[in-house]
Amino acid sequence: MIIIGEKINGTIPAVKEAIEKRDAAFIAERAVKQAEAGAYFIDICASTAPEYEIETLKWLMAVVQDSTDTPLCIDSPNPRVIEAVFKYANKPGMLNSISEEGDKCEVLLPLMAGNSWEVVGLTCDNNGIPCDLETKLAITRSMVEKAAKYDIIPDRIHIDPCVMALSTENNSLLNFAAEIKAIKELYPTIHVTGAISNISFGLPVRPLLNKTAMAFAIEAGMDSAVMDPLNRDLMGTIFATYALMGQDKHCRKYSKAFRAGNIGSLSK
């Protein structure tokens, strides 16, 4: 599972305060802990007023890159903000994100030509997030075809089918699983990602729903996730699911994660 650590985001109150105070130690600690817990990328999202976003992202990038070697996932709803800060990354990472909304593909995909940067692709367009599978597949095809013009192959793309909340869509997980399988059938080497915790929005005991949904999503073929790598229950579910699916030879990764203290109950 390719884990994109989600804990440096200005929508989180403690992170927002740290950004306002320019508390580098707080941000650095969050980055290091996520990297140590198994994050492949550290997502950084300023979530500030537009006039401060570029400056804030540059600061976050500098702090995180000074504290860990884990690649960045540069996150903004504005592709021109990502374009402006792109040159401050000291190694290839991930761009979050493109879609068929506006000119996101046209702005961001050229940045990925001739290097190994990866990208998240959301299955939405100028009409919002579609509800039907065929439209999501059509958006996926369009993004992959546009990426190919810059020699960006599918295994550098992480498609996010945009899982819906179970509280508003009773078949949310069933639809998400069908979307994962269909995308993987279309492009076997592409990655499928998502913020699985969105599925439990508005419902009680959210962790129970999240870890159960994670197991179903992995079985369907999801191999990337925007999540908190410090969530021991969710991480444990990931290792256990791969072991139970026969994709962890002799349960070595599961056992190693336990020995490292990354899964299971904490000793008291």
Side-chain angles (χ1 to χ4, degrees):
M1 174 67 69
I2 300 169
I3 297 169
I4 306 164
E6 67 179 2
K7 300 301 287 181
I8 301 178
N9 190 310
T11 61
I12 301 171
V15 175
K16 179 182 179 181
E17 182 179 357
I19 289 173
E20 291 171 347
K21 293 180 177 179
R22 290 298 190 263
D23 186 348
F26 178 90
I27 299 297
E29 182 181 21
R30 283 213 161 193
V32 170
K33 285 185 175 179
Q34 289 184 95
E36 290 176 346
Y40 283 58
F41 299 92
I42 303 294
D43 189 85
I44 53 169
C45 184
S47 297
T48 58
E51 59 268 29
Y52 303 120
E53 190 177 8
I54 292 175
E55 175 193 350
T56 302
L57 270 177
K58 285 171 59 179
W59 177 75
L60 286 170
M61 291 172 69
V63 172
V64 173
Q65 290 181 135
D66 283 345
S67 62
T68 178
D69 291 330
T70 302
L72 300 173
C73 176
I74 307 173
D75 190 350
S76 172
N78 185 344
R80 300 198 180 278
V81 168
I82 297 177
E83 182 183 40
V85 303
F86 180 78
K87 62 184 176 183
Y88 297 104
N90 62 19
K91 66 170 65 174
M94 178 179 285
L95 305 180
N96 192 4
S97 57
I98 59 170
S99 69
E100 284 296 272
E101 179 186 11
D103 61 355
K104 291 184 176 182
C105 286
E106 290 69 24
V107 173
L108 297 181
L109 289 175
L111 300 177
M112 299 174 59
N115 55 51
S116 59
W117 279 81
E118 300 182 28
V119 67
V120 174
L122 305 177
T123 57
C124 58
D125 56 20
N126 291 324
N127 296 315
I129 301 173
C131 296
D132 63 293
L133 174 60
E134 285 307 315
T135 303
K136 289 189 176 185
L137 288 179
I139 292 172
T140 298
R141 287 191 196 95
S142 179
M143 289 189 291
V144 170
E145 289 170 2
K146 288 179 179 179
K149 295 177 182 178
Y150 299 96
D151 295 323
I152 301 166
I153 56 179
D155 62 8
R156 292 170 59 191
I157 303 171
H158 298 243
I159 295 296
D160 183 348
C162 303
V163 63
M164 307 302 290
L166 188 64
S167 57
T168 60
E169 172 51 66
N170 197 57
N171 291 325
S172 175
L173 181 60
L174 298 177
N175 293 340
F176 188 54
E179 290 155 7
I180 294 168
K181 291 176 180 178
I183 291 167
K184 283 286 193 177
E185 183 175 351
L186 193 62
Y187 300 107
T189 63
I190 210 165
H191 301 290
V192 180
T193 193
I196 201 72
S197 61
N198 288 348
I199 203 161
S200 64
F201 183 79
L203 292 170
V205 200
R206 293 188 66 185
L208 178 59
L209 289 168
N210 293 343
K211 66 182 184 181
T212 306
M214 178 66 82
F216 276 99
I218 292 172
E219 192 278 333
M222 188 174 82
D223 60 351
S224 170
V226 182
M227 58 170 282
D228 176 8
L230 301 176
N231 185 323
R232 298 175 64 83
D233 284 344
L234 209 50
M235 290 294 286
T237 296
I238 292 170
F239 283 105
T241 302
Y242 280 114
L244 290 166
M245 288 173 59
Q247 296 183 19
D248 179 8
K249 190 173 182 179
H250 302 307
C251 301
R252 288 170 181 164
K253 293 180 180 178
Y254 178 86
S255 299
K256 182 179 178 180
F258 174 74
R259 290 194 299 270
N262 292 330
I263 62 173
S265 300
L266 289 170
S267 299
K268 295 183 179 181

